[in-house]
Amino acid sequence: MLSRLRTATLAALSALITVLALAAGVPQAQAAGSLPCDLYAAAGTPCVAAHSLARALYSSYNGSLYQVQRASDGATRNIGLLSAGGYADAAAQDSFCTGTTCIITKIYDQSSRHNDLTIEGAGGAGAADVGAPADALPVTVGGHQVYGLEISAGMGYRDNSTSGVAVGGQAEGMYMVTSGTHVNNRCCFDYGNAETNNQDTGNGHMDAINFGTECWFSPCYGGGPWVQADLENGLFQSDAGYSKNSSNTGTGAMPFVTALLKNNGQDHFALKYGNAQSGGLTTTYSGGEPTAGGYSPMHQEGAIVLGTGGDNSNGSIGSFFEGVMTSGIPTDAADNAVQANIVSVGYGGATGSTGSLTPGSEISLRATTACCTTDYIRHQNNNAVISPVTSGSSALDKGDATWIVRRGLADSSCVSFESRNYPGDFLRHSNFQLYRQPMDGTALFRGDATFCPTTGKSGTGTSFASYNYPTRFLRHYDLNVYIASNGGSNAFDSATSWADDVSWAVSQPWAP
Ligand code: AHR
Ligand code: AHR
C-alpha cells in the first residue's frame, strides 16, 4: 500500500516536472523509439551507420560516441553518454583534456554494424589527414554543452571496411547535421559512401552528401552553401549536374543545417535541406541519376568518408554534429520525423544561463566609456567592432553581438568567447586586433582567444587581460577592438580613456 502510494506520488511528481520543464522550454528526455535510427528502423530502412559527437541516435544506445587522444601523454579516452539515449558526456572530455589538448581519433558507429570512423589515410588527392581538435566546436544540444566535429583543411575520417553499407547500385539514404557558417569552396566536405581505396575509381563510385560553396557544374544560383550529391567526379544538384532550380540559392550562414541525400542506386536520387533548429525539409531535387555515363546504375563501394572527397581531396572545411546512413531509401515521412526530432533537441539553443562569465552563459559585452554606453562588441565582416544595439535591432545584429562564454581555450581558469551565430568561431586577436575566426586547434589560436577577467580598470565592470599578452586588455578604440596596453607606440595603446575603454559591462545577451 505504502509503496503503491509512493509510486502514485512519484508518478504525479514526474508528470508535474514534465509539465514544468515543457513550460520552461527545456528539451525533454526522448521517449523510447523516437530517435533518428529508431524512426528509420520503424520505417523499414534501418541505419547501417550512425555517427554523432553530440547525442545518441537510438533511444537504447548507451555506448561510446567518440574517442579522444591527449597530447601530453598520448593516452586515449572514450567519451560516452550521460544516460542511455541521451547526450554526450562532454565533462568527461574536459576533465581528461585539462591542462593539455586533445584530438578526436575515432567516431563510433552506434549501429550494430560497428562502422567506426578513424583518421583518414593518404589518398589519390591528399596526404594522410590529421585529427580534429576535440574542443573546437562547443555547442548546446538538449540543454547540454557538447562538442561537434570541426573539420579544417587536411582533416578527415574514414572506414574502408564496412558492413551493411550499400554497394554496387543498392539503395541508401543519409543525412547529416552540419553548419552553414563554416564552409569553403574547396573539395570536398562529404559524409557518405566512398571508395574503399581512397582513390577516384570512376563515376558512380561515391554516393555522399556534400555541403559547401564549391560549384562544380555551372550555373549554381546564389552564394550557397548548397547540399549536393558527391557521386564521384562531380558535385551534383540534379541529373545534369548544375542546379535546375534557380530558387535553390543555398542555405546561407544558417548555424545548423540538416542535409539529406537518398539514392535508389538505379535511376533516382533526391536532395533535401532544412534548418536544423526549426521547421521542415525542402526538397531541392528529386529525379533521375546524372545523365553522364557511369551513374545509372551506381557503383558504390561501401566505404564511409567524413570531411574529404572520395580520393581524400582535403581542402575543404566543415562542421559535423550527427549523421546516419540507412539501408534502403527512407520514406519522406521518416525523413520528416527525423527532422522533427533534430529540431526538438534544440541544437545551439539557449544554455539556460545568461549574463555571467560562467562557462556556458550567453552574454553581450557593453562598452562603459561615456561616448559609447549603448555600444556592444559584435562581429561584422569577420572583424570585432563596437556598435549600438537596441531592442529594435535586427536579429542578425543581435546575434552578432551575442557571445557564449567558454572555458578558456588555453587556460580553463580564464574564458573564451564563442560567437552565438557562428558555431566554433571565437573572438581572437591577431596583430593586437580582434576578429571572429574558427578555432583551428593551434596553441597560437588558443592563446589569442583566451582572456582572463579581472575587476574593471575604471572601477566599474570587468576588464579582460589577454592570456598571451597579460599586460594588454580588451579595448575599444575608434570603434575597433584591440588588446591594448596603458600607453605605448600603437595609437590604440593611447593612455587617454584607457581605463574606461578596457572596462566592460557583462550584460544580458541580445540573442539568448
Ligand atoms: O566528385 C567530387 C570529387 O572528385 C570526389 O570527392 C573526389 O574523389 C574527386 O576528386
Ligand atoms: O595579436 C598579437 C599577435 O599577433 C598574436 O598573438 C598573433 O596571432 C599575431 O601574430
Side-chain angles (χ1 to χ4, degrees):
M1 180 60 185
L2 191 64
S3 91
R4 222 180 309 147
L5 243 182
R6 194 183 297 144
T7 313
T9 314
L10 279 179
L13 245 181
S14 104
L16 180 68
I17 289 169
T18 306
V19 168
L20 286 176
L22 279 175
V26 175
Q28 286 297 285
Q30 297 297 326
S34 61
L35 297 190
C37 288
D38 304 321
L39 295 165
Y40 279 139
T45 50
C47 292
V48 291
H51 301 111
S52 178
L53 282 72
R55 64 169 182 144
L57 298 169
Y58 293 87
S59 359
S60 59
Y61 190 70
N62 201 15
S64 297
L65 294 181
Y66 59 101
Q67 181 193 67
V68 295
Q69 180 177 42
R70 65 184 174 203
S72 53
D73 60 358
T76 58
R77 164 73 70 91
N78 288 333
I79 306 301
L81 294 157
L82 294 168
S83 62
Y87 300 97
D89 182 8
Q93 174 183 320
D94 292 341
S95 80
F96 182 70
C97 304
T98 297
T100 179
T101 57
C102 283
I103 58 167
I104 292 165
T105 38
K106 204 183 272 191
I107 304 167
Y108 291 102
D109 174 15
Q110 300 176 29
S111 87
S112 56
R113 304 287 184 165
H114 300 296
N115 292 322
D116 305 336
L117 304 175
T118 55
I119 298 171
E120 187 171 351
D129 292 293
V130 297
D135 58 343
L137 186 50
V139 296
T140 302
V141 66
H144 300 275
Q145 195 242 295
V146 301
Y147 294 101
L149 178 74
E150 185 162 274
I151 294 285
S152 302
M155 296 176 185
Y157 293 82
R158 196 159 181 135
D159 180 6
N160 281 340
S161 174
T162 62
S163 154
V165 178
V167 293
Q170 291 174 334
E172 63 183 339
M174 63 197 81
Y175 82 85
M176 70 169 155
V177 176
T178 181
S179 172
T181 66
H182 184 62
V183 293
N184 71 2
N185 63 358
R186 303 279 310 279
C187 181
C188 286
F189 183 70
D190 290 348
Y191 174 67
N193 200 321
E195 293 92 342
T196 52
N197 65 355
N198 295 14
Q199 306 286 327
D200 176 352
T201 54
N203 293 358
H205 285 247
M206 292 184 68
D207 183 28
I209 307 163
N210 173 268
F211 189 68
T213 50
E214 182 170 19
C215 178
W216 194 288
F217 301 103
S218 294
C220 300
Y221 297 98
W226 303 278
V227 177
Q228 312 185 96
D230 187 344
L231 306 180
E232 191 51 278
N233 297 314
L235 306 177
F236 291 87
Q237 297 193 16
S238 74
D239 56 353
Y242 60 85
S243 177
K244 292 183 161 178
N245 176 1
S246 59
S247 66
N248 176 17
T249 55
T251 68
M254 208 185 266
F256 296 92
V257 174
T258 307
L260 189 145
L261 163 66
K262 45 192 181 181
N263 194 329
N264 75 3
Q266 299 298 313
D267 58 9
H268 187 270
F269 81 101
L271 290 165
K272 303 182 186 184
Y273 77 92
N275 180 343
Q277 294 180 305
S278 70
L281 296 168
T282 300
T283 300
T284 58
Y285 178 73
S286 178
E289 305 282 5
T291 50
Y295 298 103
S296 184
M298 295 284 293
H299 303 279
Q300 307 101 306
E301 298 186 19
I304 303 174
V305 72
L306 169 56
T308 74
D311 57 5
N312 189 28
S313 293
N314 56 8
S316 54
I317 65 174
S319 313
F320 178 87
F321 302 100
E322 61 176 75
V324 312
M325 298 173 70
T326 64
S327 165
I329 289 255
T331 61
D332 288 334
D335 294 340
N336 292 341
V338 166
Q339 164 69 1
N341 173 262
I342 293 166
V343 167
S344 77
V345 299
Y347 269 105
T351 55
S353 102
T354 58
S356 81
L357 290 175
T358 308
S361 175
E362 294 172 48
I363 60 166
S364 289
L365 285 170
R366 186 173 62 77
T368 62
T369 316
C371 61
C372 311
T373 54
T374 57
D375 285 359
Y376 292 80
I377 298 184
R378 66 169 291 176
H379 61 85
Q380 194 159 41
N381 303 323
N382 306 330
N383 290 338
V385 298
I386 58 164
S387 65
V389 185
T390 66
S391 54
S393 296
S394 68
L396 180 72
D397 291 344
K398 289 177 176 174
D400 289 354
T402 301
W403 304 93
I404 307 172
V405 178
R406 299 296 184 192
R407 292 161 24 114
L409 290 168
D411 178 345
S412 58
S413 67
C414 301
V415 296
S416 292
F417 300 109
E418 187 194 8
S419 162
R420 174 71 170 81
N421 54 6
Y422 279 67
D425 281 18
F426 289 80
L427 209 49
R428 67 86 56 99
H429 63 84
S430 177
N431 286 322
F432 308 116
Q433 187 167 351
L434 272 289
Y435 301 90
R436 187 210 81 228
Q437 284 180 5
M439 160 38 176
D440 63 12
T442 60
L444 179 68
F445 190 102
R446 290 175 182 280
D448 290 353
T450 300
F451 303 93
C452 303
T454 175
T455 305
K457 295 290 173 192
S458 68
T460 12
T462 307
S463 290
F464 297 93
S466 158
Y467 167 81
N468 47 5
Y469 291 85
T471 60
R472 294 182 168 274
F473 292 78
L474 206 57
R475 177 199 195 158
H476 62 92
Y477 185 84
D478 267 354
L479 307 183
N480 286 320
V481 184
Y482 301 90
I483 49 164
S485 55
N486 188 4
S489 51
N490 304 298
F492 56 79
D493 290 327
S494 164
T496 309
S497 86
W498 182 87
D500 289 341
D501 292 352
V502 300
S503 298
W504 301 90
V506 176
S507 310
Q508 288 300 314
W510 278 113

